[in-house]
Amino acid sequence: MDSSMEGTAGGGVDSEADPLPGGAAEAASTDTATAAGTAGERVAVPPASLSPSRAGDFMQCPLLYRFRVIDRLPERPSEAATRGTLVHAVLERLFDAPAAERTAPRAKALVPGQWDRLRESRPEVVELFADDPEGERLARWLGEAERLVERWFTLEDPTRLEPAERELFVEAELESGLRLRGIIDRVDVAPTGEVRIVDYKTGKAPRPEYAEGALFQMKFYALVVWRLKNVVPRRLQLVYLGSGDVLTYDPVLADLERVERKLLALWEAIRRATESGEWRPRPTKLCGWCDHQAHCPEFGGTPPPYPLPTRVTEEPSAGGPGVAPGRAQSLPVQADDGPSAGGPGVAPGEA
């Protein structure tokens, strides 16, 4: 579960997307810290770690990363993101029951209670249905969540599964000092010790040409597990409830080393942008889902004043000839050669 809620002030679910009621995971895995000022205000500090969600943000659009991680601009909840949160919560809770009782009717019966829990822990989601006094749209939305949960039983058999971990927060520090963190939906461990990392997606599976981009998040998690346990996961598995597909990949050490190099380059680009204050927008068709158009120069907006100090260096930038001293460049890092971490055409929040 890669969560787009991670590190945001109020946004929807990540790929990356933090679909945990109560926000405990969100608090534990935010990519940037905040300090309390004398009057209790939130004080921006430089990014200190990287998650799949935030890595995907920067690869999609450096300015979006800034808005979410540094400015922490609020984002409206969306029906798709909140549905992803709800479905994740149901699938997590189902494993509390004995194996024989993990049935589709029981899972569907969990939906109303988990929705109530979500509304209590994250009151902002209530506004999604504020204009639905008769509850008709809410009933349809809950029905869609139930159908996604029910479809899961056609893809996996929970009576034969005993997850070693659910909604597992992981964090590892690389030799470079970069901290990687995230939340894994499910970890299965075979009797032989082989590890499988599983992530649920409530959207549809990407087209084959974008599968590599979709696997970026899973390779990120595999890298963290390898660095923590010195074990390369045997299998990475993406379960797409929206289309009823299962995407699997068996990583090798070279995959994880390649992802680590990519993340180090990405973090260097983030560091330079943080120091210079230059966060360049990268327009794509995903801009249509962005909550921050009013602040984006591509839409005639003006970003808020940069809340961190900037540093102008005297030496020419590493960006090469023709780059003015002190003007950092964003590296055009792509997620495993895909246009974005989630693949094109994937609406944010379809976790």
Side-chain angles (χ1 to χ4, degrees):
M1 168 196 60
D2 175 34
S3 173
S4 297
M5 280 181 161
E6 186 177 313
T8 71
V13 176
D14 174 68
S15 157
E16 312 262 10
D18 236 348
L20 289 182
E26 179 180 353
S29 61
T30 182
D31 290 339
T32 184
T34 57
T38 56
E41 73 274 14
R42 298 170 72 86
V43 179
V45 297
S49 62
L50 195 60
S51 72
S53 296
R54 301 292 76 83
D57 285 345
F58 190 86
M59 289 185 285
Q60 178 183 321
C61 174
L63 186 58
L64 174 63
Y65 177 97
R66 177 202 148 167
F67 287 158
R68 283 180 164 167
V69 175
I70 295 178
D71 297 298
R72 300 177 67 82
L73 298 181
E75 298 182 359
R76 299 183 304 272
S78 72
E79 291 188 17
T82 307
R83 183 170 51 239
T85 300
L86 177 59
V87 170
H88 276 76
V90 169
L91 297 185
E92 180 192 5
R93 293 276 72 84
L94 182 66
F95 283 103
D96 290 340
E101 298 178 19
R102 298 170 194 161
T103 64
R106 184 186 183 98
K108 290 171 62 177
L110 290 173
V111 170
Q114 290 303 312
W115 171 233
D116 290 340
R117 186 180 177 210
L118 182 58
R119 286 187 300 169
E120 292 173 3
S121 61
R122 294 182 177 175
E124 67 273 11
V125 302
V126 176
E127 69 183 69
L128 287 170
F129 303 101
D131 60 348
D132 182 37
E134 301 300 322
E136 295 179 358
R137 190 157 54 85
L138 173 60
R140 289 195 298 272
W141 182 84
L142 289 172
E144 292 167 358
E146 290 178 353
R147 285 189 289 275
L148 291 171
V149 168
E150 195 170 29
R151 182 172 291 153
W152 176 58
F153 286 82
T154 69
L155 305 175
E156 295 190 289
D157 182 358
T159 66
R160 299 171 60 86
L161 296 170
E162 290 298 339
E165 301 285 353
R166 289 173 279 155
E167 305 295 347
L168 176 66
F169 173 71
V170 291
E171 181 177 33
E173 184 169 323
L174 305 182
E175 292 181 0
S176 65
L178 170 59
R179 281 190 294 135
L180 304 178
R181 58 200 333 182
I183 304 168
I184 301 174
D185 286 348
R186 199 179 85 217
V187 179
D188 300 330
V189 180
T192 56
E194 294 177 314
V195 174
R196 177 172 63 182
I197 296 176
V198 181
D199 194 80
Y200 308 122
K201 300 293 184 186
T202 52
K204 297 180 180 180
R207 296 194 298 272
E209 60 265 34
Y210 299 122
E212 282 298 315
L215 283 168
F216 171 76
Q217 169 192 354
M218 304 303 286
K219 292 179 182 180
F220 185 111
Y221 291 147
L223 170 61
V224 175
V225 170
W226 172 50
R227 285 304 189 187
L228 284 175
K229 304 293 186 181
N230 199 30
V231 172
V232 176
R234 175 68 178 82
R235 173 154 294 180
L236 310 177
Q237 182 166 303
L238 283 161
V239 182
Y240 286 93
L241 305 177
S243 56
D245 296 300
V246 176
L247 176 62
T248 62
Y249 183 80
D250 296 341
V252 296
L253 184 58
D255 290 323
L256 308 189
E257 292 173 336
R258 183 165 55 250
V259 170
E260 183 169 347
R261 290 193 298 269
K262 182 170 294 187
L263 291 173
L264 291 174
L266 182 69
W267 190 245
E268 174 61 16
I270 291 172
R271 183 193 64 78
R272 282 191 274 167
T274 302
E275 292 183 351
S276 70
E278 292 190 13
W279 301 88
R280 300 179 181 178
R282 183 176 295 147
T284 69
K285 60 184 177 181
L286 296 177
C287 292
W289 283 292
C290 185
D291 277 342
H292 308 303
Q293 293 181 10
H295 297 287
C296 180
E298 293 293 325
F299 292 87
T302 302
Y306 191 56
L308 296 175
T310 57
R311 181 170 63 87
V312 179
T313 60
E314 296 298 328
E315 297 297 326
S317 162
V323 178
R327 297 180 64 83
Q329 277 193 323
S330 296
L331 296 182
V333 182
Q334 295 292 334
D336 289 321
D337 300 322
S340 73
V346 179
E350 287 290 349

